[in-house]
């Protein structure tokens, strides 16, 4: 067997011109070759971090001059000028200096060309690989490292057929890489120029160094001495390199193909624009924009000031470059300004019969609100137009405020636009942003006019009582101009900076309460109160509107699921006692979902039993089915509380009217005192103190025990203590409860009352009479005591609310006392 001695002699010098022979390479440069007998037994050692160095390589090596400067200096001072390079993965050392145990056994001895002290870059030198070395013994385990080495030879016959076959396979694999990366061809040209292709050891090392394999894989190649095994491993690396190169080439081709298609489309599109422009078939963007805006203006009736401003902007647009930022700002401005319906109005339908029909079809109940809306429309019909009107619908949630606004729009034949003011904190939402801001837009009113395309729509402002304020401004104050009939004919939007006429818009606002609406804003609106529904009205709404709506929403036929009136009435009285009908709609939807589940189960069972399809199965829901569908009732039938020291009052809340029982009790007779509970507000506590003082000072007038309060600790409580309560209207109720306690006489019949009491016994008027009457009817209390000053409020109520109610009007608490405790004062209803 013949050893391959190609590593025994040096590789070529820097000029890369050499005589290549079978036994090695001899340099023609002035630097003599390093022969076997010249290679030293000991070497200085420098670690290389990225990948190992191979014999035959000539490339720069980077290093830290502060760390390895001493080693390089010692090498250059030696006559041979060689140093050992060994691969060490510095990333696994955590920043520590390498130790002898971190160095591999095998490395490559290199000759230094252009040492760092002779180079412009002290951290880099040019190395020429000579041959492999194996560390025998460490002579210095601290920098500069020095080791005793030996130089192993490659094992195998380079002239054997197997080695030649492997060499040809390696060359073929390298050639396959050439089309995939031009850098490979440069490396191969260097190899053919400087080495003998019949040197398999150098061919294997060159091919391994050609790949992008990691350092550990290349170190394994460096440590493999048998030629055949080394070439097998090199072929594996070349195969992986080819796969990676092919994949990279495919990705590059795909990207280039997409870019090329986009560029091609862009150039063709630009060429088409130029050709069309030359032939007069099309215009540039600036001309087409200007003509489009002019076409819009032809259908509008512009005020002189608006026309002048738009003409100025069009002139500016004609001199701006389409690519400039100012062009985009001007174009957007003209786009908005030309889409405002200047002077375009729709014709109102002022037929009162038609309006009444639409309101009755859309709503049951609310007769007083319907009458007020018809009065409003009648004035518009008499005048010939409806303009400068702002309506405010106030009522509990779910009573139909938003739907009434839509019905008014349908009755008039106007376009309808709705937006909510709840939580709005930026006044720019109302009046628009200045054009100088990025992303500036007009306010909501201009946006509404653009969408409806007429200048006289119905605009609904929902939840006006929930509008907010912040550092960005006060939207409620910004609404003052828009909702003032004396000002909104010249409403100024900050974005357009033009006067927009809002006087022909019918504004309808909604709110749950008036307390949170600023006074100046409330003063500009006409208030209509929606007090809520009694049980009979809820029944009609459920039958005529809610139930058909839910049938359609759930995909049920009209005759597929039916519910009778007793069941609906039971749902209303036991599950939905609130003023509105929103919760009633939820409960009806729940009934339908439960019923559909039964339909689906029945259909599945019938299909399993091979019977007919159950898609048309019908079901009838009665009162007895409600508990199974909705669970236990939320409200049990309640009778007014009766007993000594108990009186029933009437109160108004944002959710509607409610009954308010007041309880008083004598706790002990050890001392005198008065205690209040039930989460009462300041005003209601003052009313209780006034009633207590009034009753104590008039015990004789009302035939009470004169010493009762002197030795009594009295506790007065208003149930549902978790609910806040405030207001003066419980004054006569509290006084009645205290008189009942002092007389030891209970109220013998269902009776409810409301009214403010003064220290002199006067009964003052209170608000919310409609809501309180509805609450009394809901609780089936048909005898009421109201302040005499509220007689007109009661007489203005619809007949169906007053029917069957016996009302006593009181000017003084004496009238209340005689009504409650003196049988001879019980008379007939006063209405």
């Amino acid at each position: 067997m013949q050893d391959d001695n190609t590593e025994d002699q040096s590789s070529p010098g820097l000029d890369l011109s050499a005589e290549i022979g079978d036994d090695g390479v001899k340099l023609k440069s002035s630097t003599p070759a390093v022969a076997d007998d010249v290679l030293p037994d000991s070497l200085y050692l420098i670690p290389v971090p990225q990948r190992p160095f191979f014999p035959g390589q000539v490339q720069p090596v980077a290093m830290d001059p502060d760390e390895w400067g001493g080693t390089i200096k010692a090498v250059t001072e030696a006559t041979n000028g060689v140093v050992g390079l060994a691969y060490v993965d510095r990333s696994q050392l955590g920043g520590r200096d390498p130790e002898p145990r971190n160095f591999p056994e095998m490395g490559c001895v290199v000759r230094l060309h252009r040492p760092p002290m002779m180079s412009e870059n002290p951290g880099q030198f040019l190395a020429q690989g000579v041959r492999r070395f194996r560390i025998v013994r460490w002579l210095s385990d601290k920098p500069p490292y020095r080791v005793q080495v030996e130089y192993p030879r490659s094992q195998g016959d380079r002239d054997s057929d197997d080695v030649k076959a492997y060499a040809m396979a390696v060359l073929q694999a390298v050639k396959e890489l050439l089309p995939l990366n031009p850098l490979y061809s440069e490396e191969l040209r260097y190899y053919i120029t400087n080495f003998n292709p019949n040197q398999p050891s150098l061919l294997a090392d060159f091919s391994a160094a050609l790949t992008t394999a990691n350092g550990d894989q290349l170190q394994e190649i460096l440590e493999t001495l048998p030629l055949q095994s080394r070439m097998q491993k090199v072929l594996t690396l070349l195969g992986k390199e080819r796969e990676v190169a092919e994949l990279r080439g495919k990705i590059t081709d795909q990207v280039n193909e997409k870019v090329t298609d986009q560029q091609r489309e862009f150039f063709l599109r630009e060429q088409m624009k130029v050709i069309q422009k030359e032939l007069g078939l099309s215009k540039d963007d600036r001309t087409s924009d200007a003509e489009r805006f002019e076409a819009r203006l032809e259908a509008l009736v512009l005020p002189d000031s608006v026309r002048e401003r738009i003409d100025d902007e069009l002139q500016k647009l004609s001199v701006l470059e389409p690519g400039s930022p100012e062009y985009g700002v001007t174009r957007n401005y003209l786009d908005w300004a030309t889409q405002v319906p200047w002077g375009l109005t729709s014709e109102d339908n002022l037929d009162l019969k038609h309006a009444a029909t639409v309101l009755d079809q859309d709503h049951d109940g609310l007769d007083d609100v319907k009458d007020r809306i018809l009065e409003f429309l009648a004035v518009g019909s008499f005048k010939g137009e409806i303009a400068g009107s702002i309506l405010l619908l106030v009522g509990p949630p779910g009573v139909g405020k938003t739907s009434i606004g839509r019905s008014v729009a349908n009755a008039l034949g106007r376009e309808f636009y709705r937006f909510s003011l709840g939580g709005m904190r930026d006044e720019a939402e109302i009046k628009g942003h200045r054009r100088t801001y990025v992303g500036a837009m007009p306010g909501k009113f201009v946006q509404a006019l653009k969408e409806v395309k007429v200048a006289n729509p119905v605009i609904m402002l929902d939840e006006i009582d929930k509008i907010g304020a912040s550092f960005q401004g006060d939207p409620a104050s910004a609404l003052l101009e828009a909702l003032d009939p004396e000002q909104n004919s010249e409403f100024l939007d900050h974005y357009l900076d033009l006067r927009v006429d809002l006087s022909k818009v019918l504004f309808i606002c909604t709110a749950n309460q008036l307390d949170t609406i600023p006074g100046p804003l409330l003063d500009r609106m006409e208030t209509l109160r929606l007090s809520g529904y009694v049980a009979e009205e809820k029944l009609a709404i459920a039958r005529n509107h809610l139930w058909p709506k839910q049938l359609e929403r759930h995909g049920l036929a009209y005759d597929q699921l039916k519910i009778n009136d007793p069941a609906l009435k039971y749902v209303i009285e036991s599950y939905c006692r609130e003023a509105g009908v929103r919760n009633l709609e939820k409960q009806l939807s729940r009934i339908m979902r439960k019923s559909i589940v039964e339909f689906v189960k029945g259909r599945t069972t019938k299909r399993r039993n091979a019977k007919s399809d159950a898609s048309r199965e019908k079901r009838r829901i009665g009162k007895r089915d409600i508990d199974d569908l909705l669970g236990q009732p939320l409200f049990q039938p309640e009778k007014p509380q009766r007993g000594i020291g108990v009186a029933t009052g009437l109160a108004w809340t944002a959710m509607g009217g409610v009954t308010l029982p007041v309880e008083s009790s004598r706790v002990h007779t050890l001392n005198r005192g008065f205690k209040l509970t039930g989460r009462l507000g300041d005003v209601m506590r003052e009313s209780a103190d006034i009633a207590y003082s009034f009753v104590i000072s008039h015990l004789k007038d009302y035939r009470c025990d004169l010493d009762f309060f002197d030795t009594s600790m009295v506790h007065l409580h208003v149930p549902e203590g978790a609910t806040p309560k405030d207001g003066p209207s419980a004054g006569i109720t509290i006084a009645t409860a205290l008189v009942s306690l002092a007389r030891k006489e209970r109220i013998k019949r269902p009776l409810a009352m409301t009214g403010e009491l003064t220290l002199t016994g006067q009964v003052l008027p209170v608000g919310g009479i409609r809501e309180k009457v509805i609450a009394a009817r809901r609780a089936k209390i048909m005898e009421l005591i109201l302040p005499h000053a509220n007689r007109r409020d009661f007489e203005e109520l619809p007949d169906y609310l007053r029917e069957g109610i016996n009302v006593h009007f009181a000017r003084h608490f004496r009238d209340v006392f005689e009504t409650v405790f003196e049988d001879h004062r019980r008379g007939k209803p006063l209405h």
Side-chain angles (χ1 to χ4, degrees), residues 702-704 738-745 817 821-822:
Y702 303 119
R703 294 182 290 281
C704 300
L738 294 175
V739 170
S740 171
L741 181 65
R743 286 172 57 91
K744 298 182 178 62
E745 179 182 354
F817 172 77
F821 296 103
E822 299 294 331

Side-chain angles (χ1 to χ4, degrees), residues 45-48 68 84-88 93 97-106 133 135 138 141 145 147 219 223:
L45 198 58
I46 296 179
V48 288
W68 304 107
L85 299 182
Y87 166 68
V88 176
L93 300 180
D97 292 335
E99 300 176 359
R101 59 187 177 85
N102 302 127
F103 284 83
E105 184 182 19
M106 194 81 72
F133 70 84
I135 298 176
W138 282 80
D141 57 359
Y145 297 117
V147 294
Q219 180 65 29
E223 294 178 352

